[in-house]
Amino acid sequence: MKSIISSGRSALALLAASAILLFAGFRADARSSEVSGTGVDGRETVNLNLGWDFHLGDGDPASFKDWEPVNLPHDYQISQPWVEPQPGDAGDFGDQASNSSSRLSSRAFKEMGAGWYRKALTPSPDWKGKRILLDFEGVMLVGDVYLNGERVGGTDYGYVGFEIDLSDKLVYGKPNEILVRADTGIPMNSRWYTGGGLFRDVNLVLTPAGTYFPRHPLYILADMQGHVEVKADIVMETDAGELTVKVEILDPDGKTVGGNEGTLRFARRRADYEYVSETITVPDPLLWDCEHPVLYAAKVSLLDKSGRVIDSVCDRFGFRTIEFSPEFGFKLNGKKVLLKGSANHHDYGCLGAAAYPKAAQKRIQLLKSFGHNSIRTSHNPYSEAFLDLCDENGMLVVDELYDKWLRQYAGGRKDWEDIWQYDVREFVTRDRNHPSVVMWSLGNELQTYANLPYRDWGVTPYRMMKELVHRYDDSRPITVAMHPRGRNHQTDSLPAPLALETDVASYNYRYMYFPGDGKKFPWMMFYQSEANNSIPQNFYSMNLDKVVGLAYWGAVGYLGESGGWPSKGSSGGQFDITLEPKPMAYMVKSMFSDEPMVYIGVERAPAKRRMWNGMMTGSPTIEHTWNLEKGTTIGKLYTYTNAEEVELRLNGKSLGVKKNSREPNARNMILWENIKYVPGKLEAIARTGGKEVARNTLETTGEAVRLVMIPDQGTWKGDGRDIQYVSVIAVDRKGRKVFDADHLVTFKVEGAAGIAGVGSGDMSSNESMVGPQHSLWHGACQVVLRSVPEPGTVILEASADGLKGARLEFRTR
């Protein structure tokens, strides 16, 4: 059994005020930005998210006349019209398709294409002699960067970041033009909606020249006993003599609780150094876990002989120990923890792929409230802010790099063999200090592709990447999500060769093979990397004491991978695309949480079954409403509960009491059949040991009479980057949500914000997700506002024909 130790956050993160400083006088909202400032500790960072121009389409940027002002993050696909397929369209992967399936169905029926971004930057003459880096966290799907007409860099896999050294290319004291071309590729370059453009942060980083910390320089190893070892990559291109390397450990309040100093001497014919500190012991550390995600920080500084700080970086980490074993699956700080989570793509509904931190926070906190403790980042790295928020909220992460190890799925511009070396390094060094990250995943559902490099079922590519991962982090196990678990979709008596190579055997959907494969190969550890909606059997059929855990596929509705027009994406999960919980979310909560609960779900339509990935998929339509047609007989009604029994009452009359089954395929979902609908009140009363522990009620509502707007709680920053979610619902005279209301809602915003997106849970809607109006679906819709760069008052009004409108007033800070 191997004990595994880790920690952290991104190496250039802003934590200690003495480590990083925003430039004084930077006009983030200006089209032409003049930047100056001295900074502290030799390193300065400025965010460049504001003040860009955008042009949709390709060609010579000098000829474009229709630039529009935009701020980052920005997804240029989400505002484009839906493209309805025509008969005879080619399918996404070469098949001849009908009107219900087209080449764009996987990409959410958005047209592919390029877009250009433009920004003017006037560097201060004081910058001369410094190292000036333009840092992109990602460009979707591939991108090229130009400075004053010269290509200076780019990316062939837009999910990982890159930086460009502009030091010798800038014209100081005069405007410099930055141009970025982003391209979504062709439809078959992705199996889901990717979005397009500068969808993550862009920063400018200034460091000293000659002696400095390079990209993602820190590797922090910390355990639950309080031991910390810090490794730092350092560059000395010129003779700086003898340097002092100072390491400080900061507690959550920023107080220094440990540290040490060492020396580093210049050596000719060598520029790159790897400094390893002596072990630091922090007495009685506060541990990082899912319930108490306590974060410390390591600050590392380079000092010259006079004690002057040349360069300094700071990164967060957590004191925690992780262990994996066939005997218990996964332990965190010596305690068994079952990964109970989800696997989703990276879009945020009506915001598209734009990586707003508030959107990530809302999703993480919602999942936590329903008992989830883990997320698999399928099938690519998420934003740095997402992992920061997982650290802060105690959400465990299975961090994934690729879908397939093929040119087609790795950006489409270069062969996978030409880019993986950079991608793996950037992926691991960026994410290795996050305490939330407990396992690396290098790919998904690929072992059946006969044309994988080296043609040995993926074994050699995996071994190559594993060796490189271990160069930068050997504290976590490595896996690959597999489907099928064998070498084909038919019955295979043995796991695929790749399954026998990975540290943890991750099977998508094929949990039923865990017992047999474990018996044949007792060293194997199992993780159900995707679970479908045949809940709860795929959870309770596993040996929960021994498996690592599971991730429900598409727990949140997402764009792309639709079953055909008019659906724009997947809607079979636990939450719709606006994050409204469905009855199935409460089913999962009853399994993931010990909190006593009961929830009613009414089956309105049977499952529409279809073949997907070699298996039949599809879920029935289950809703939480008691507004049905008179005379209806409800064939199936479920009460989801973790209590021992449930009594169902209709208008005060008992319809019976039923026990909770212990059988895996029926546990926590009590079935009631052939119930005749009568308007009024339906109640589910859950009891354990004869005592009521939870109750859920459905009532027949009246007609909708007014709109109600419900904003998310918390601070809304007036920085031009922060967003505010507002839910809009139609209610009757008693204030109850009217499930069948479908009015068109029009929004009006005044003041210090604008509309970033609108939407509903209706995946078949042809309405735009960008604009001032959207229809209610199941009585609700959503509007997301984005602040302007100055704090102020925001007034939001919502109106709909036949309903009394609503008004909200905010103050951004």
Side-chain angles (χ1 to χ4, degrees):
M1 182 179 69
K2 180 181 180 182
S3 291
I4 302 176
I5 304 170
S6 188
S7 53
R9 185 180 168 182
S10 92
L12 299 179
L14 172 59
L15 188 134
S18 59
I20 297 178
L21 179 72
L22 291 182
F23 284 109
F26 178 66
R27 292 296 305 280
D29 57 333
R31 297 291 140 205
S32 178
S33 301
E34 183 171 350
V35 188
S36 62
T38 58
V40 293
D41 288 358
R43 178 174 291 260
E44 302 166 298
T45 297
V46 64
N47 181 270
L48 295 184
N49 280 3
L50 305 183
W52 292 77
D53 295 316
F54 174 74
H55 169 84
L56 179 65
D58 214 352
D60 180 4
S63 68
F64 298 158
K65 305 297 184 183
D66 54 348
W67 293 96
E68 62 172 308
V70 299
N71 293 321
L72 312 183
H74 180 250
D75 173 7
Y76 64 76
Q77 272 200 311
I78 196 65
S79 61
Q80 303 312 306
W82 309 109
V83 180
E84 183 176 358
Q86 300 302 313
D89 277 357
D92 283 7
F93 302 99
D95 55 308
Q96 203 59 26
S98 68
N99 193 42
S100 64
S101 175
S102 86
R103 62 192 177 91
L104 296 176
S105 64
S106 286
R107 305 290 289 270
F109 295 103
K110 294 288 188 179
E111 194 60 82
M112 302 296 103
W116 286 81
Y117 294 83
R118 178 181 70 180
K119 187 175 181 65
L121 184 72
T122 302
S124 167
D126 295 339
W127 289 8
K128 289 184 178 180
K130 295 185 178 182
R131 184 169 169 262
I132 303 166
L133 306 170
L134 186 58
D135 184 292
F136 292 85
E137 198 186 328
V139 181
M140 191 49 53
L141 178 66
V142 296
D144 300 283
V145 182
Y146 300 83
L147 178 69
N148 299 326
E150 176 190 357
R151 187 184 186 278
V152 291
T155 179
D156 295 302
Y157 184 61
Y159 293 106
V160 298
F162 62 99
E163 66 185 17
I164 304 168
D165 190 338
L166 303 180
S167 309
D168 298 329
K169 300 181 182 296
L170 288 167
V171 180
Y172 295 92
K174 296 182 179 181
N176 290 250
E177 184 182 59
I178 300 170
L179 286 169
V180 182
R181 180 185 181 274
D183 193 337
T184 61
I186 60 177
M188 66 176 58
N189 286 151
S190 179
R191 299 186 302 114
W192 58 86
Y193 176 83
T194 62
L198 297 179
F199 73 127
R200 294 181 183 165
D201 289 345
V202 178
N203 289 297
L204 203 63
V205 181
L206 273 69
T207 78
T211 300
Y212 55 86
F213 291 104
R215 187 171 179 82
H216 309 315
L218 299 187
Y219 181 30
I220 307 164
L221 295 166
D223 63 23
M224 60 187 292
Q225 284 77 37
H227 304 127
V228 188
E229 181 183 273
V230 179
K231 299 180 180 180
D233 292 331
I234 300 168
V235 174
M236 279 200 291
E237 296 172 331
T238 57
D239 190 350
E242 184 177 286
L243 295 178
T244 296
V245 183
K246 182 179 181 180
V247 180
E248 300 170 85
I249 305 301
L250 310 177
D251 71 8
D253 297 322
K255 178 183 176 183
T256 301
V257 292
N260 58 32
E261 295 184 359
T263 57
L264 189 66
R265 294 177 177 84
F266 175 78
R268 297 190 183 280
R269 299 189 183 92
R270 182 179 182 184
D272 299 322
Y273 299 79
E274 188 173 69
Y275 174 84
V276 181
S277 74
E278 293 185 0
T279 299
I280 301 166
T281 300
V282 175
D284 302 317
L286 299 174
L287 301 186
W288 187 95
D289 60 28
C290 296
E291 291 73 37
H292 309 95
V294 180
L295 292 168
Y296 287 72
K299 180 182 177 182
V300 184
S301 304
L302 302 179
L303 286 67
D304 64 15
K305 291 181 179 179
S306 69
R308 179 181 65 90
V309 175
I310 300 172
D311 197 5
S312 182
V313 290
C314 192
D315 209 352
R316 296 194 300 187
F317 70 94
F319 286 99
R320 61 103 169 105
T321 298
I322 59 175
E323 302 170 82
F324 289 80
S325 167
E327 298 303 316
F328 53 73
F330 170 68
K331 284 185 179 180
L332 176 62
N333 300 332
K335 299 178 181 178
K336 163 71 178 180
V337 174
L338 185 71
L339 298 193
K340 299 177 290 188
S342 62
N344 255 85
H345 294 308
H346 64 286
D347 75 84
Y348 292 110
C350 66
L351 301 174
Y356 292 93
K358 186 68 69 65
Q361 176 179 297
K362 182 178 177 69
R363 178 170 296 194
I364 292 165
Q365 292 179 346
L366 174 69
L367 291 171
K368 285 275 288 188
S369 72
F370 275 78
H372 293 237
N373 66 7
S374 62
I375 292 173
R376 173 182 165 224
T377 68
S378 46
H379 305 294
N380 44 260
Y382 285 11
S383 67
E384 292 185 66
F386 185 92
L387 292 183
D388 286 341
L389 288 160
C390 287
D391 291 343
E392 294 166 11
N393 288 277
M395 182 68 82
L396 303 170
V397 176
V398 177
D399 205 359
E400 193 156 277
L401 177 58
Y402 290 120
D403 185 18
K404 312 285 187 284
W405 304 331
L406 295 168
R407 181 189 190 115
Q408 176 180 343
Y409 301 105
R413 195 157 69 170
K414 285 188 177 180
D415 288 338
W416 174 85
E417 294 97 317
D418 295 331
I419 65 175
W420 70 266
Q421 298 94 330
Y422 174 82
D423 294 345
V424 168
R425 176 177 179 172
E426 174 68 12
F427 167 62
V428 175
T429 57
R430 191 199 76 166
D431 295 352
R432 61 188 173 182
N433 291 332
H434 288 276
S436 58
V437 176
V438 297
M439 185 158 52
W440 303 116
S441 176
L442 298 179
N444 172 71
E445 296 183 351
L446 45 75
Q447 76 278 3
T448 60
Y449 284 72
N451 58 336
L452 284 178
Y454 312 108
R455 300 186 180 276
D456 60 354
W457 305 99
V459 171
T460 295
Y462 170 78
R463 288 175 177 172
M464 292 164 55
M465 286 190 287
K466 180 177 181 177
E467 193 69 23
L468 190 55
V469 170
H470 281 172
R471 170 63 183 87
Y472 300 109
D473 175 56
D474 60 0
S475 71
R476 299 169 174 88
I478 304 173
T479 192
V480 172
M482 291 179 239
H483 180 70
R485 132 284 184 202
R487 285 169 288 191
N488 54 57
H489 283 289
Q490 310 304 318
T491 301
D492 195 338
S493 62
L494 293 175
L498 186 55
L500 299 175
E501 287 284 331
T502 56
D503 297 331
V504 174
S506 296
Y507 294 177
N508 290 353
Y509 314 109
R510 296 307 193 220
Y511 61 91
M512 65 286 296
Y513 289 100
F514 289 171
D517 288 354
K519 186 175 181 180
K520 293 173 185 175
F521 308 101
W523 66 84
M524 295 184 78
M525 298 177 281
F526 298 102
Y527 171 59
Q528 192 179 167
S529 37
E530 289 179 21
N532 62 24
N533 290 316
S534 58
I535 301 169
Q537 65 201 46
N538 48 25
F539 182 73
Y540 288 117
S541 293
M542 299 189 300
N543 184 338
L544 301 180
D545 293 329
K546 290 192 173 185
V547 298
V548 172
L550 90 171
Y552 280 109
W553 176 253
V556 179
Y558 61 89
L559 294 170
E561 291 191 302
S562 83
W565 184 268
S567 175
K568 312 306 185 301
S570 173
S571 58
Q574 303 157 37
F575 306 87
D576 72 25
I577 200 167
T578 69
L579 299 182
E580 277 292 307
K582 302 178 184 180
M584 198 59 68
Y586 293 91
M587 168 72 236
V588 173
K589 185 176 183 179
S590 76
M591 297 163 10
F592 283 0
S593 172
D594 293 330
E595 176 188 348
M597 58 147 297
V598 64
Y599 198 81
I600 302 170
V602 180
E603 183 171 306
R604 302 294 301 275
K608 294 181 179 179
R609 310 292 285 178
R610 66 180 178 125
M611 183 64 67
W612 181 263
N613 270 357
M615 63 181 188
M616 293 301 297
T617 64
S619 301
T621 300
I622 299 177
E623 298 172 347
H624 188 65
T625 179
W626 202 240
N627 279 38
L628 309 176
E629 293 184 9
K630 291 183 178 180
T632 298
T633 297
I634 303 164
K636 294 181 179 179
L637 181 148
Y638 297 94
T639 49
Y640 304 117
T641 187
N642 47 19
E644 292 177 354
E645 63 182 29
V646 170
E647 180 184 4
L648 199 62
R649 293 178 183 173
L650 179 56
N651 295 329
K653 180 182 178 181
S654 179
L655 301 183
V657 176
K658 291 194 175 185
K659 297 288 186 182
N660 195 349
S661 173
R662 303 296 293 180
E663 292 298 318
N665 65 345
R667 187 167 172 179
N668 286 20
M669 50 185 299
I670 298 174
L671 172 64
W672 307 76
E673 296 180 289
N674 300 321
I675 295 176
K676 293 183 179 180
Y677 170 70
V678 178
K681 180 189 290 187
L682 182 69
E683 293 178 287
I685 304 162
R687 300 185 181 94
T688 296
K691 294 182 179 180
E692 180 178 336
V693 294
R695 182 182 293 236
N696 186 234
T697 301
L698 280 177
E699 290 185 307
T700 305
T701 61
E703 292 185 359
V705 297
R706 63 187 176 95
L707 296 174
V708 173
M709 292 195 290
I710 306 170
D712 281 0
Q713 299 300 309
T715 301
W716 186 13
K717 298 177 183 177
D719 60 3
R721 292 177 280 174
D722 201 10
I723 58 175
Q724 172 71 49
Y725 282 86
V726 180
S727 297
V728 184
I729 61 173
V731 300
D732 67 5
R733 296 186 185 279
K734 294 184 178 181
R736 300 172 299 187
K737 178 181 176 181
V738 180
F739 190 81
D740 53 1
D742 59 0
H743 301 68
L744 178 64
V745 179
T746 300
F747 299 101
K748 180 182 178 182
V749 184
E750 295 180 353
I755 294 176
V758 292
S760 72
D762 184 7
M763 279 294 197
S764 295
S765 172
N766 292 331
E767 298 172 88
S768 173
M769 289 182 164
V770 179
Q773 60 184 26
H774 207 280
S775 296
L776 300 171
W777 185 75
H778 289 178
C781 69
Q782 178 186 77
V783 59
V784 185
L785 307 178
R786 179 173 182 163
S787 67
V788 300
E790 297 292 336
T793 299
V794 180
I795 297 174
L796 172 65
E797 296 179 348
S799 61
D801 289 345
L803 302 179
K804 183 180 179 181
R807 184 180 187 273
L808 284 177
E809 184 171 327
F810 304 89
R811 177 76 187 179
T812 60
R813 306 297 179 185

